[in-house]
Amino acid sequence: MKLIAIGLIAIIHSALAAPPQTQAQIEGLDYDDPSVLGAGAKIHSSGASGEGSFRVPLFLKNGLDPESKRKQRMMERAQKMKSFAERPLVNSTAPLTDVKDYYYYGYIGIGNPVQHFSVIFDTGSSNIWVPGSACKSTACVEHRRFNRSSSVSFANTEQKIEIQYGTGFIAGEVGVDTVRVADSVAIKDQPFATTSLEDKTFELPRSQFDGLFGLGFTGGAEGGVTSPIENMVAQGVLEEPLFGVKLFRSSGRASGEITFGTYDKSYKNKL
């Protein structure tokens, strides 16, 4: 069978700054920031701070104009990227399974001891979520559910979260724990959601995956949490601030891979 490889490369230019708390703050404070990307989802925030508030950008007459601020931020990012060469290098590749060329999923581990989940690696969002053990929705019962009490490293933030995607809705609570990609790269203190409600969009057989792993930037994350990609960069667990995806057309078999910190250069002539 002839394999068709499609290389998708994403370069992570992270601001590594404290994330905004609400969508209003994102739109008002950093609307001209190229690191703030939309998640393709309607954002509902019910965190402890920022509820019902908004910020309006003000520019001093004699201060920096928006374009000068943008250039300054880009220069600061370039300096931070340069420091990566001095950090420990770790690469991780996770196999992906193709479901009718419609979506691809792989596995992650959460907690200590590790609990495994199948997730869609999604470039259009920035949150991690998996079904919670207390969730009684059909979609949750059909899939693996995260047991908070079984992980000695889990911490509850008591922050509620709701995410309305274009084709589905989930609600739950935000917790913090170690998240492992392919059991080799550990993202410490990573915020993620355990669901208490999932609509029928995530029921079998349509959704063979348990949850979702957002690959976007923090600016597109629900609840103002730090995205896993930016945490990887900030914690220095990547050889380079990028990831690569290689996909093959298949029929239910392991049919691709996602690599963090590098990419398969045999499928790409120039980055």
Side-chain angles (χ1 to χ4, degrees):
M1 175 184 296
K2 181 177 180 181
L3 300 178
I4 302 175
I6 305 173
L8 304 175
I9 308 301
I11 304 178
I12 310 305
H13 292 286
S14 169
L16 300 181
Q21 296 300 312
T22 67
Q23 184 67 9
Q25 291 173 353
I26 294 169
E27 295 172 350
L29 183 62
D30 290 321
Y31 70 94
D32 64 329
D33 190 329
S35 73
V36 177
L37 304 183
K42 183 178 180 181
I43 305 301
H44 300 273
S45 177
S46 55
S49 61
E51 182 70 19
S53 64
F54 63 92
R55 295 183 182 180
V56 177
L58 299 177
F59 301 101
L60 295 175
K61 181 177 180 181
N62 296 324
L64 292 176
D65 58 272
E67 177 62 18
S68 297
K69 289 183 178 180
R70 186 189 69 83
K71 291 181 179 179
Q72 184 178 27
R73 285 194 294 268
M74 294 300 291
M75 182 180 300
E76 292 173 353
R77 292 191 190 98
Q79 293 174 345
K80 291 175 181 176
M81 294 300 106
K82 186 178 179 180
S83 67
F84 287 149
E86 302 173 359
R87 299 184 179 183
L89 307 183
V90 179
N91 291 324
S92 174
T93 298
L96 298 176
T97 298
D98 176 16
V99 179
K100 298 182 178 180
D101 295 337
Y102 180 59
Y103 62 81
Y104 295 75
Y105 67 84
Y107 287 87
I108 63 172
I110 304 177
N112 181 28
V114 176
Q115 301 176 47
H116 292 92
F117 299 91
S118 60
V119 294
I120 284 185
F121 289 98
D122 179 26
T123 57
S125 62
S126 305
N127 290 82
I128 298 176
W129 62 262
V130 294
S133 59
C135 180
K136 304 303 181 183
S137 298
T138 301
C140 293
V141 175
E142 291 177 338
H143 293 92
R144 298 175 182 87
R145 291 181 288 176
F146 181 77
N147 189 336
R148 299 180 171 195
S149 61
S150 295
S151 175
V152 298
S153 52
F154 176 82
N156 185 16
T157 68
E158 299 185 354
Q159 177 184 354
K160 304 295 184 181
I161 191 170
E162 295 181 357
I163 306 179
Q164 176 67 62
Y165 295 99
T167 55
F169 170 83
I170 67 101
E173 295 183 346
V174 176
V176 176
D177 211 328
T178 299
V179 176
R180 295 172 173 83
V181 180
D183 285 338
S184 57
V185 166
I187 317 171
K188 298 178 180 179
D189 300 322
Q190 175 60 45
F192 70 102
T194 55
T195 62
S196 56
L197 175 66
E198 297 181 22
D199 70 16
K200 63 181 181 180
T201 301
F202 301 107
E203 295 178 7
L204 293 172
R206 176 185 296 182
S207 299
Q208 297 182 27
F209 54 92
D210 301 317
L212 187 142
F213 188 108
L215 295 167
F217 295 105
T218 293
E222 158 61 14
V225 302
T226 304
S227 71
I229 285 294
E230 291 202 17
N231 253 346
M232 287 183 188
V233 172
Q235 294 177 20
V237 299
L238 302 181
E239 179 179 356
E240 297 180 76
L242 57 82
F243 63 85
V245 179
K246 180 170 62 178
L247 304 177
F248 302 111
R249 295 193 182 277
S250 182
S251 56
R253 297 174 296 176
S255 46
E257 62 184 32
I258 180 168
T259 302
F260 294 90
T262 186
Y263 64 98
D264 190 336
K265 296 178 175 58
S266 65
Y267 287 92
K268 185 74 175 179
N269 293 328
K270 183 179 180 181
L271 185 63

